[in-house]
Amino acid sequence: MAYDKALAERIRDALSGEDDVEEVKMFGGLSFMVNGKLAASANSHGNIMVRCDPDRVDELLTHKGASWPEMRGKPMSKGWIVVDRTGTSSNVEFDAWIKEALDFVH
């Protein structure tokens, strides 16, 4: 299963202070579970998929690089956001997406 190794390393580093982090190959990439809940996933295109509060999805979709994720050509349920490289190019942007995921899974 292919995934962007540099992105996976960024996610791994961002989650290094968390307890109970597990890496699982799924969604066509490498996913990161925190306390048994999927928090983020790195895919082969350099996009990160993050778990988020479903009530925040509409606002989060206005952020640079954010889009609604699809699985097998169908939109996923609210509570997920895909962010391309343009939306995670700075550490501030990347860290904000990781925080979004951690806020939801905690």
Side-chain angles (χ1 to χ4, degrees):
M1 202 169 283
Y3 59 89
D4 184 307
K5 292 182 184 343
L7 176 59
E9 189 62 32
R10 278 181 90 186
I11 297 169
R12 192 175 291 118
D13 288 347
L15 299 177
S16 65
E18 294 293 315
D19 293 330
D20 194 19
V21 176
E22 182 181 358
E23 297 180 19
V24 181
K25 291 182 179 180
M26 66 169 76
F27 292 126
L30 185 64
S31 296
F32 293 81
M33 312 283 285
V34 177
N35 299 323
K37 299 174 189 165
L38 180 59
S41 185
N43 75 15
S44 62
H45 304 291
N47 300 335
I48 184 172
M49 183 171 68
V50 295
R51 189 75 169 114
C52 62
D53 182 340
D55 293 334
R56 291 193 32 77
V57 168
D58 293 331
E59 191 274 321
L60 293 172
L61 285 170
T62 67
H63 291 237
K64 179 174 63 174
S67 63
W68 198 284
E70 292 184 359
M71 184 168 289
R72 297 186 182 108
K74 295 183 181 183
M76 291 179 65
S77 62
K78 278 193 170 186
W80 302 95
I81 297 285
V82 170
V83 186
D84 67 25
R85 289 181 173 139
T86 67
T88 60
S89 58
S90 78
N91 288 336
V92 170
E93 292 166 323
F94 180 82
D95 291 346
W97 287 111
I98 294 296
K99 181 182 182 320
E100 198 70 48
L102 291 174
D103 285 349
F104 186 76
V105 300
H106 281 156

